[in-house]
Structures are given as structure tokens and as C-alpha cells.
Amino acid sequence: MKSEIEVFREFTRKKGLRNTPERETIIKEIFATHDHFDVDELYLRLKNKKKKISKPSIYRLIPHLLESGLIQEAYFEDGHFHYEHIYGHEHHCHLRCLRCGKTIEFQEKPLEKLEGKLAEEYDFSVTGHKLEVFGFCPQCKVDPHVAKVEDAGDPRRQR
Amino acid sequence: MKSEIEVFREFTRKKGLRNTPERETIIKEIFATHDHFDVDELYLRLKNKKKKISKPSIYRLIPHLLESGLIQEAYFEDGHFHYEHIYGHEHHCHLRCLRCGKTIEFQEKPLEKLEGKLAEEYDFSVTGHKLEVFGFCPQCKVDPHVAKVEDAGDPRRQR
DNA sequence: GTCATTGTTGAAAGTGATTATCAATATTCT
DNA sequence: AGAATATTGATAATCACTTTCAACAATGAC
Ligand SMILES: [Mn+2]
Ligand SMILES: [Mn+2]
Ligand SMILES: [Zn+2]
Ligand SMILES: [Zn+2]
């Protein structure tokens, strides 16, 4: 199987883009852990490793990573998107706690069938889907007054 | 069945909030059409009807409308959320064209079962889900070089 | 390898949706 | 009515993200 770096090289070649060490550094960091990430976190992770990558370079790369299928948007929270690398992974969906943000990944079968049905019924060319299931995790449903896990920042949405 | 206004009155009473004519004006406008809306569109619709409601009042109301179950986020596009009223409507999901924004609504059965399964498997209290299916509509998949619908004017979103 | 072309970079400034501030006002409760 | 306090609109602030631009560097042709 091709590495994510090779996939991106092919993508740039095909699209007339250019590959750079900065971009490969970012991609490597994205695939270094399985964590979801946002731009700021990614920027700080790189900074901590003494990689001098500017935020605009990250912002500029993200649309290409989405288009090349290396990453996808995982969810929108705290005023910005959180992403995850998906190349080399099975498609999965998220079950999220509305209170503490705890996220569980799960596979779903029924949706493959649904895509086909929708494609036929509405004459769409279906390329994918995004399913989020919301609720309260075991801790949060039992004791809704306990301190929030992610405290210091309410799950308030802002830009 | 209670009206959306009555639902909101009960909500404010229960939460120690206050109801105001501004809030009822906003809610009535949201339920006046079945269109998806964003804050700016809603503000302009009210303005056109000579209702003097400030944008902050709309922004401040939205979290309450979400919490009371009168509206929900439909999708995030062009840098902001688009909402839809849901009180009095069956739950539905969206099939969206990635190119022109055309949106089709559909009902899905398999997901009710999925919610129950997830609740049991992960001990979550599941409160809801959001499913978006993406692809290209009949027009956009056939001739991907035709002018975008959005270029002509505002894309007619339907419920 | 050299060279021309042109995409990319980082710093800085700009954009725009959303939120905070605050004094005036209005709602709710007693 | 009167006290308590939530809401309003105008305004300023915030902050995620984009644009600008000059220096730089990846790519491909020769
Ligand atoms: Mn994930
Ligand atoms: Mn809808
Ligand atoms: Zn939780
Ligand atoms: Zn389309």
C-alpha cells in the first residue's frame, strides 16, 4: 500500500501542484497519531517539535488533503472544524457526548445500502456521507453536575 | 398540538428566561416558511418586513431554540451554519450536491435501530443523530463544467 | 546542470461571523 | 406598584480563516 506521502505526491503531480518539505512535514505529523486534530493543535504539535510551519501553510494544505482523501472533517466544535486522517482506515462514524465531548468511533453497515438507494431514487452520484450520533456518555448521563472533562472551555460554539 | 410560540413560552418559564416580543417575532418568521435559513438571511427577512430586530438578538436566541428543540443545525456552509425549524416535523436527513448545493430531504429507518444498538453497546444515552449524504445531483454529475447554480443568484434551498 | 516558469512560504494585514459590553428598557414575580 | 434581573440594540472586540506580497523553491524543458 502506498504511503500517505506517496499518495500526496501523486496528487500534486496530477493536479499541477507542487510538493514541499513543509507539506510533507505536516502530513507526517497528521499521520503520526490517530488523534483528531484542529489547525491550532496541529500547529502547536509541529511547533513543539521545532518544525517551523506557519498556520497559513496548514490552512492552505487542508483543502488539498480533503480533496486527495487523506483527511476528512470529523466534527465542528468550539468554532472550528476538527479533522482526522482517513487514508488507510475503514470509514467510520462518531458517537459523541454532548456534554464532555467524549467520542467513540463505530462502523455502520446499513449506510452503504442507503447510499445506493438514494443514488437510484434521486439520480445522484453519491460520494460519501457523514453520520454523527449524539448523546450522553456513561459518566455524563449519570452525574450531569460533575465537572466537565474539557473544562475551561464550554462546548459553546463560536467563531 | 402546541404552537411553537407556546413551546417557547414553556421553555422560558421552565428555564427562568424571559419571553419578549422580539423573540416571538423571530420564531414566527422562522416558522413562516419551510426554507433553511442562516442568521443573515433571517435578519434580512425580518428587516424587509419592517421588524426591527438586531442581529445579536437573533444570535442570542439561537442556542435557546436549539435547546428547546424548535430548530436544528441543517448544515455548515460558506463559513456559517444553516438552520431549519423542526418542531412539528418528522426527523429527516439531507442529500446534498457538493457542487451546486441542491438539497434533498429523505427519511431513513435503519438509523432508529442503530441508535438503540449504540446506546446499548456503549452505555450512552442517545439523543439524536445527524446524517448528511454527499454527492452530485443529476445536472452536476452530467455536465460538471456548466455554470454553478450559486453563480446565478442564491441557491434555492428546500426543506 | 541551467534556466524560466510559476506554485509555495511566512509575515502581516484584512475579512467576516459571532460574541462581549453596557446602559436603557422590559419582563416576571411578589 | 415596585424590586429584581433578563433582554435589547449599538458598539466594540474576538478569533478563525483568508488574502497579500515579496522572497524563495519545485518542476519541467533544454
Ligand atoms: Mn474518528
Ligand atoms: Mn431540511
Ligand atoms: Zn460525557
Ligand atoms: Zn448540483
Side-chain angles (χ1 to χ4, degrees):
Chain A
M1 186 183 174
K2 287 178 294 219
S3 74
E4 46 273 9
I5 296 295
E6 289 167 327
V7 170
F8 190 71
R9 283 177 183 157
E10 285 181 21
F11 177 79
T12 54
R13 207 175 304 127
K14 206 175 309 175
K15 303 280 283 188
L17 301 171
R18 288 175 190 170
N19 195 17
T20 66
E22 287 85 355
R23 290 180 167 182
E24 298 204 348
T25 299
I26 295 168
I27 293 169
K28 281 175 190 157
E29 184 58 38
I30 288 172
F31 281 83
T33 79
H34 284 284
D35 293 338
H36 295 175
F37 65 93
D38 60 39
V39 169
D40 215 64
E41 286 171 10
L42 182 56
Y43 172 73
L44 292 175
R45 273 163 57 185
L46 289 162
K47 196 175 189 179
N48 287 340
K49 295 187 178 177
K50 311 300 178 196
K51 313 284 190 182
K52 296 196 188 312
I53 310 283
S54 69
K55 277 189 194 178
S57 289
I58 299 175
Y59 277 114
R60 280 182 295 236
L61 181 58
I62 280 182
H64 296 138
L65 297 181
L66 290 169
E67 191 183 346
S68 63
L70 291 178
I71 69 169
Q72 72 181 1
E73 293 166 356
Y75 52 89
F76 188 94
E77 193 176 81
D78 295 329
H80 53 261
F81 276 106
H82 295 242
Y83 303 91
E84 61 188 338
H85 67 243
I86 50 171
Y87 178 68
H89 289 264
E90 292 251 349
H91 180 277
H92 66 267
C93 300
H94 295 132
L95 171 61
R96 289 179 49 74
C97 177
L98 288 167
R99 208 170 139 282
C100 73
K102 180 176 183 181
T103 301
I104 286 173
E105 309 193 329
F106 65 91
Q107 320 269 346
E108 66 336 294
K109 325 282 149 50
L111 292 186
E112 334 272 88
K113 265 187 285 243
L114 179 65
E115 283 194 8
K117 220 185 60 177
L118 290 170
E120 190 171 343
E121 183 166 356
Y122 299 106
D123 196 23
F124 264 59
S125 164
V126 176
T127 59
H129 65 260
K130 192 157 101 180
L131 171 65
E132 282 181 282
V133 183
F134 302 101
F136 296 94
C137 74
Q139 286 78 48
C140 292
K141 78 175 176 187
V142 169
D143 185 359
H145 291 93
V146 79
K148 291 185 187 178
V149 170
E150 292 174 334
D151 218 350
D154 29 14
R156 179 185 46 187
R157 175 172 303 111
Q158 61 185 42
R159 261 193 64 93
Chain B
M1 187 182 174
K2 285 177 295 219
S3 73
E4 47 273 10
I5 295 295
E6 288 168 327
V7 170
F8 189 71
R9 283 178 183 156
E10 285 182 19
F11 178 78
T12 54
R13 207 176 304 130
K14 207 176 308 176
K15 302 280 282 189
L17 301 172
R18 289 177 190 172
N19 195 19
T20 66
E22 288 86 356
R23 290 181 166 180
E24 297 204 350
T25 299
I26 296 169
I27 293 169
K28 281 175 189 159
E29 184 57 39
I30 289 173
F31 281 83
T33 80
H34 283 190
D35 292 338
H36 294 175
F37 65 93
D38 60 39
V39 169
D40 215 62
E41 286 170 10
L42 181 56
Y43 172 73
L44 292 176
R45 273 164 57 188
L46 289 163
K47 197 174 190 180
N48 287 339
K49 296 189 178 176
K50 312 301 177 195
K51 313 282 192 185
K52 299 197 185 313
I53 309 283
S54 70
K55 277 191 196 178
S57 288
I58 298 175
Y59 278 112
R60 281 183 294 236
L61 180 58
I62 281 182
H64 295 138
L65 297 181
L66 290 169
E67 191 182 346
S68 62
L70 291 178
I71 70 170
Q72 72 180 2
E73 294 166 356
Y75 50 89
F76 187 93
E77 193 176 81
D78 296 328
H80 54 262
F81 275 106
H82 296 244
Y83 304 90
E84 62 189 337
H85 67 242
I86 50 170
Y87 178 68
H89 289 265
E90 291 251 348
H91 180 277
H92 65 265
C93 301
H94 296 132
L95 170 62
R96 290 179 48 75
C97 177
L98 288 167
R99 212 171 134 280
C100 73
K102 180 175 182 181
T103 300
I104 286 173
E105 311 197 323
F106 64 92
Q107 320 269 346
E108 67 334 296
K109 325 282 151 48
L111 292 187
E112 334 272 87
K113 264 185 288 239
L114 179 64
E115 283 194 8
K117 222 185 59 178
L118 290 170
E120 189 170 344
E121 183 165 358
Y122 299 106
D123 196 22
F124 263 59
S125 163
V126 176
T127 59
H129 65 261
K130 191 157 103 179
L131 170 66
E132 280 182 282
V133 184
F134 302 102
F136 296 94
C137 74
Q139 287 78 49
C140 292
K141 77 176 178 187
V142 169
D143 185 358
H145 291 92
V146 80
K148 289 189 189 179
V149 169
E150 285 141 345
D151 293 346
D154 64 301
R156 267 296 50 113
R157 316 195 175 76
Q158 62 237 19
R159 278 194 55 102

